[in-house]
Amino acid sequence: MIENRNAYIAVTIYAIIIGLSFMFVKVTLTVATPLDTLAHRFTIAWIAATVLFVLKKESIKVTKKDVLRIALLAILYPTLFFAFQVFGLVHTSSSEAGIIQATIPIFTLIFASIILKETSTRSQKIAIGLSVLGVMYIMYMNGAGDTNTSLFGAGLILLSALTASLYNVFARRLTQRYSLFTVTYIMTLFGFIAFNGLALTNHVMNGTVDQFMQPFGHGNFVLAILYLGILSSLGTSYLSNYALSKIDASKMSVFSNFATLITILAGVIFLKEEFHLYHIAGSIIIIIGVVGTNYFSARGKSNKKI
């Protein structure tokens, strides 16, 4: 019972960090390209993870097969998830992206029932649906309905949602097999290698290698990239892996909509963005959905699976 409580505390902190991260991403993108931002944030994340590794004096005992298993998970998250998300946002609005990414809990519920054989009650399914509708309602009222849609951009965001859902499912198994630090460290290392490789290759091809480190000359960028690297990349990887080792993937995934709510509130409080009554209505629906999903635990283990 205490472990589950700690898992919910971890996933709540995870949602808050993710929700606030979009503000810091906006700061970094004013002086760096999306690919460079990803490379720098995972460089910071890997350095922080390595410092922890040295301080903890904890040995990572894994075989080549173990590394391969975790690396396959790292391909889903962070590599494909962030790549699809960043380049999808180039071709579509953040409102459209928010609506599409709100489907993550639904995809996770489906994949978890097929792959992990997780069961869910009718009440849980309704609660997840409410949470998704709350996000879609706010994003639509924000003006997504008036923007020109891009099939390519929407497709990339949909792929990012699918990879996040698959990560939630497969991480559930791996976090029960390996130590949390081992999984988190290897995932972070993989992100570091992948994004730095892509960014540097891009600079070499364009003859702009000298521009790679230029963003660190801006104080705001340094502060933002430290937040994104240490908290939003390394911290959330550890928190999500911990939560997935204790609670069902479907329960974990619905907190992605809570993160969206945090993003909206952060925009209103810190960026002085407009706040309307529909924000309140949508927020209430999201909160009811998140709380309901986890309140209506799957008591009927013998009930028919999805």
Side-chain angles (χ1 to χ4, degrees):
M1 193 70 180
I2 294 177
E3 287 187 346
N4 282 351
R5 184 182 65 188
N6 291 337
Y8 286 122
I9 291 173
V11 76
T12 300
I13 296 173
Y14 158 88
I16 292 172
I17 293 173
I18 290 294
L20 292 174
S21 69
F22 288 95
M23 289 193 307
F24 294 96
V25 169
K26 286 184 178 181
V27 173
T28 62
L29 292 178
T30 60
V31 295
T33 65
L35 203 52
D36 284 357
T37 295
L38 288 170
H40 293 319
R41 74 185 285 181
F42 277 94
T43 297
I44 298 295
W46 175 71
I47 291 173
T50 302
V51 170
L52 286 175
F53 173 69
V54 173
L55 293 177
K56 285 168 63 72
K57 297 180 179 179
E58 177 182 326
S59 60
I60 297 179
K61 298 178 181 179
V62 288
T63 64
K64 290 182 179 179
K65 184 179 289 188
D66 295 330
V67 173
L68 179 61
R69 287 196 185 103
I70 300 173
L72 289 173
L73 179 66
I75 290 176
L76 292 174
Y77 182 95
T79 311
L80 289 179
F81 172 75
F82 281 113
F84 287 139
Q85 185 186 72
V86 168
F87 290 103
L89 284 170
V90 174
H91 299 283
T92 190
S93 70
S94 59
S95 295
E96 287 179 295
I99 290 175
I100 297 170
Q101 294 232 330
T103 59
I104 290 176
I106 295 176
F107 286 130
T108 301
L109 187 69
I110 294 171
F111 291 143
S113 67
I114 296 172
I115 299 172
L116 301 180
K117 308 303 180 183
E118 289 184 2
T119 58
S120 59
T121 64
R122 182 179 300 176
S123 296
Q124 282 180 301
K125 295 170 189 172
I126 293 173
I128 289 175
L130 276 176
S131 178
V132 171
L133 285 175
V135 173
M136 289 183 170
Y137 172 68
I138 291 177
M139 294 302 182
Y140 180 80
M141 293 299 290
N142 275 343
D146 298 326
T147 60
N148 293 321
T149 60
S150 164
L151 185 60
F152 179 67
L156 290 176
I157 298 298
L158 181 61
L159 286 173
S160 76
L162 287 169
T163 55
S165 302
L166 287 170
Y167 160 75
N168 287 335
V169 171
F170 289 116
R172 171 80 169 143
R173 283 182 172 173
L174 286 184
T175 53
Q176 294 175 335
R177 178 179 297 182
Y178 306 107
S179 74
L180 294 176
F181 186 79
T182 296
V183 175
T184 302
Y185 187 85
I186 295 177
M187 285 175 60
T188 303
L189 175 61
F190 194 92
F192 163 73
I193 295 172
F195 289 122
N196 275 279
L198 290 171
L200 288 171
T201 299
N202 182 62
H203 279 295
V204 169
M205 291 176 64
N206 295 322
T208 57
V209 177
D210 59 312
Q211 298 178 10
F212 184 58
M213 299 300 292
Q214 285 182 0
F216 284 96
H218 301 265
N220 288 339
F221 175 86
V222 173
L223 292 175
I225 208 70
L226 285 173
Y227 178 92
L228 293 173
I230 297 173
L231 291 178
S232 188
S233 296
L234 178 61
T236 57
S237 291
Y238 187 87
L239 290 169
S240 63
N241 287 334
Y242 173 76
L244 284 167
S245 70
K246 305 297 181 185
I247 61 177
D248 290 347
S250 57
K251 293 181 182 179
M252 162 70 187
S253 67
V254 79
F255 276 84
S256 62
N257 289 339
F258 181 61
T260 301
L261 174 58
I262 296 298
T263 300
I264 295 168
L265 294 177
V268 172
I269 296 171
F270 298 109
L271 302 180
K272 308 302 179 184
E273 295 178 352
E274 294 183 1
F275 188 73
H276 303 284
L277 288 176
Y278 66 78
H279 285 116
I280 298 176
S283 298
I284 292 173
I285 295 172
I286 293 172
I287 292 172
I288 290 174
V290 172
V291 173
T293 300
N294 293 279
Y295 176 77
F296 297 115
S297 60
R299 293 184 298 268
K301 289 290 182 180
S302 59
N303 289 351
K304 184 178 179 180
K305 293 181 176 63
I306 298 175

